[in-house]
Amino acid sequence: YKSFELFGENPVGMALARAAALAVRGWSVDRLRAAGRRAADLLVDEVASYAPGLLEEHRAAGHLLALATTTPEDLIRPLAERLGINDVIATRYAWSDGVYTGKLDGGFVWGPGKLTAVKAWAERQGVDLGESFAYSDSINDLPLLSAVGHPTVVNPDVPLHAYATLRRWPILHLDAPPGVGTLGGVEAFDAAKLL
């Protein structure tokens, strides 16, 4: 996770994430799900300050909320539930007899695979992606962002920030009050104090 914080999503990191299915072969499904619940208790307070308000705006508008992520479903679903998100579209680890097999159950939910998974979910739910909103911080989600009617980048990596600027997509920083500029995730005022 430290690598992700420093370098964002990248093919090497995603290859390691994909290999994680093999690493958990033989692990108890119940124990990993319990770890997801414990992690959710800790992570819910780490969510960017202004994200809950944005989620509430969508709920108030009657939107169905789904979290699409590479993170294994058994680990992320508890956090999504704590945030009041209706559904999770995530990488799933295959399991049998209560233990993981070391394989994926379905596709890897990353890049084009994330778009494929979201399209399948949208079809099942009767959701029109042309009327939908999507938020991301990574250039790797460009296929998904390009497929929805309302793409928005949030605390974006440098390539996505540049692309969004060219496309004139909204850019949000959910870790700072609306209208307050940030430099590398730090409010401009605080960054200026360091100079």
Side-chain angles (χ1 to χ4, degrees):
Y1 291 107
K2 190 64 172 174
S3 170
F4 177 80
E5 286 178 17
L6 293 173
F7 306 112
E9 285 184 0
N10 59 68
V12 173
M14 291 303 99
L16 292 172
R18 186 176 213 147
L22 184 58
V24 300
R25 182 177 58 196
W27 289 20
S28 163
V29 173
D30 289 339
R31 287 188 68 194
L32 195 62
R33 288 178 179 168
R37 289 189 297 274
R38 285 191 303 275
D41 291 339
L42 301 171
L43 293 174
V44 74
D45 292 330
E46 299 296 320
V47 172
S49 304
Y50 296 92
L54 180 61
L55 294 172
E56 186 52 42
E57 287 177 25
H58 282 291
R59 273 192 290 276
H63 299 159
L64 181 62
L65 303 179
L67 174 63
T69 180
T70 305
T71 304
E73 181 179 16
D74 289 333
L75 288 176
I76 198 65
R77 185 171 289 280
L79 179 61
E81 290 171 354
R82 292 281 305 268
L83 295 172
I85 295 174
N86 305 95
D87 210 349
V88 173
I89 304 160
T91 300
R92 292 186 318 271
Y93 291 166
W95 57 275
S96 178
D97 297 324
V99 297
Y100 293 105
T101 66
K103 297 181 181 179
L104 295 179
D105 176 10
F108 188 59
V109 182
W110 181 70
K114 185 179 285 187
L115 176 58
T116 299
V118 168
K119 282 182 173 179
W121 173 86
E123 186 174 318
R124 287 191 307 273
Q125 298 295 324
V127 170
D128 179 359
L129 289 181
E131 296 295 322
S132 296
F133 295 78
Y135 299 86
S136 179
D137 64 349
S138 171
I139 192 70
N140 297 305
D141 285 336
L142 197 53
L144 175 60
L145 289 168
S146 298
V148 299
H150 305 281
T152 301
V153 301
V154 178
N155 299 27
D157 58 25
V158 172
L160 183 59
H161 190 281
Y163 189 88
T165 300
L166 290 173
R167 292 291 305 267
R168 297 185 178 182
W169 287 349
I171 300 171
L172 297 178
H173 292 276
L174 295 177
D175 52 354
V180 174
T182 63
L183 300 169
V186 177
E187 288 185 28
F189 179 76
D190 291 332
K193 289 192 297 187
L194 298 174
L195 299 177

